[in-house]
Amino acid sequence: MKRGKKRGAVPERTGAQCLIAGLERAGVSVVFGYPGGMIIDVFNLLTAAKMHFVLPRHEQGGVHMADGYARATGRVGCCIVTSGPGATNTVTGLATAYMDGIPLVCICGQVPTHMIGNDAFQEADITGITRPVTKHNYLVRNVDELPRIVAEAFHIAATGKPGPVLIDLPKDVQRALTRAPDVSPEQVSIRSYQPGCPVDEVAVDQLAKAIQAARRPLLYAGGGVIAAGAAPVLTEIARLANIPVTTTLMGLGAFPEDDPLALRLLGMHGSVAANRAVAHCDLLIAAGARFDDRVTGKISEFAPLATLAHIDIDRSAIGKSLAIDLPVHGDVRAVLEALRGRLQPQPRDEWLREIAGWKEAFPFAYDHPAGTLPPQYVIEQVDRVSRGQALVVTDVGQHQMWSAQFITHRQPRHFLTSGGLGTMGFGLPAAIGAQFGCPEQLVVCIAGDGGIQMNVQELVVAVEHQLPLKVVIINNGHLGMVRQWQQMFYQKNYSAVVLGQRHRPDNERMPGVSDAYLPDFVKLAEAYGAVGVRVSDPAEVAPTLRRAFESPRVWVMEFRVTAEENVFPMVPPGGTVEQIIHRLA
Ligand SMILES: Cc1ncc(C[n+]2csc(CCOP(=O)(O)OP(=O)(O)O)c2C)c(N)n1
């Protein structure tokens, strides 16, 4: 048969061309990627593609950047890497996004199809490896299917409970020719995947009746509220029916914490008021939350007096950890909108008075002995100096919990953190991704001296792209959160938690090194082209932050804080609210 171009037919394109066209159709405007031999055909086209390209310095950094971009904007983040080590370097980032329900599409190069399974150079079975940490993944064997697969990947990532999707793309498929037409994510219809579901009016009626009848109702809002864009309607409902609200780590910002109904963070390091309210409420309405063990503590004693209602888009999350009395499967925003019209104002004075008493008696607090710099003080100042406007991205550890406690969270998508996986090394690259998504926004990364070193190489990306990013390092000279657990639960047997030169058993200084703390973060910042400053005087904290926030440059501010500060209150792991620890004796 003659190969000729029919009038009106789709011109022949390579797989790589189809991929780029698919990304453009999906509205990708920034792509984070790292090249290599098995993805070189795609990179060959990126120079001319209608999207901004960002080169991280490690593929893990690239995935966290795409993740931070997605968390800050609500759009699907996108990254492209090569096969083998490039692909395996994405696994932690994918697992991080998967645990927190973040929409990503990750494209990996792969060895040619005829070599798959032969232990070819830079071959890794990334489809198999990532199956448990992606919402869905594809190994593309036929170029004709590629336009549909790209559109499906974006559709699946963004709809239902969002999550990461991986496309494993062999080199020969990138180079093969096809006349398959482009497909948009909006055109996708998959028979076995129907994420939209109509609001269950009967269930909403039952929930409305339960709320009207409850004397001590409590809303427990998770990251699903933010993902669904349901924060405004949640706030309306809480105020209309006088229902106090507590949020998970992922839900911070779903309800303004300066509202008298706000109970703030729930769970292990949550407020006493929030944890007590759960213990005393007669109706607990979980919205876009998943009864995570860091929230529930001892699950059999969680909300012992309450009827449990659970609104979630993910049917499999309902009843997973606890039996639910009032399940409401559906989009959180649609369900809350349907609920709003069925509720009447209720005073609930007694319940609100009780809660106000707990809030007043047990605020988040810390000691500030003269001559010391408490880490909580630094974090409080970030909030104050930015007038509550900063988009804060944290790493993982004590500083993460203090950031949850000492920042007054007021709006969604302004507090980004690795909740489910607790990934150290997330903060800096995610903050860079967030800054790409929100160029006008003040973005502040708060990290520990341990976690910042896990992806510190990405600092150069912020400098290179002239991002106005600010990095706050809470330097306590330790892997603080692990040190706290060793202090509290392992008889102070400090194992592998001291960072820097003080780690030397003879405690002797190394020749030529003047400081016990290593690395020198100021020099490190300068090496990457950023402004680096060190602060240990409390009086210098606010002026330094102010100068940094007014500057267009990347600033790295190292705060030398009290070394052995702990995060309180603390419900011990697997414990109950009665066992809450307020401070060490
Ligand atoms: C990749 C990874 N490795 C190990 C851990 C376990 N871990 C949790 S918090 C923590 C200490 C973090 O120390 P640092 O970054 O200095 O922050 P700090 O707790 O002192 O604020 C560790 C090791 C983790 N969460 N992630």
Side-chain angles (χ1 to χ4, degrees), residues 353-378:
R353 244 195 326 271
E354 200 172 358
I355 279 175
W358 295 331
K359 279 174 70 170
E360 203 182 313
F362 302 103
F364 289 125
Y366 60 93
D367 292 331
H368 191 166
T372 68
L373 180 56
Q376 301 95 324
Y377 175 79
V378 176

Side-chain angles (χ1 to χ4, degrees), residues 60 92 395-400 402 421-425 447-452 454 474 476-483 499:
Q60 183 187 354
T92 301
D395 208 75
V396 169
Q398 291 182 308
H399 65 278
Q400 175 190 32
W402 288 318
L421 200 65
T423 306
M424 283 173 75
D449 48 322
I452 191 72
M454 286 209 179
I474 302 292
N476 53 17
H478 288 86
L479 299 174
M481 188 56 101
V482 180
R483 188 207 55 72
L499 297 171

Side-chain angles (χ1 to χ4, degrees), residues 315-332:
R315 193 191 289 273
S316 73
I318 301 178
K320 191 170 181 175
S321 310
L322 271 176
I324 299 297
D325 306 297
L326 293 170
V328 190
H329 174 225
D331 175 69
V332 178

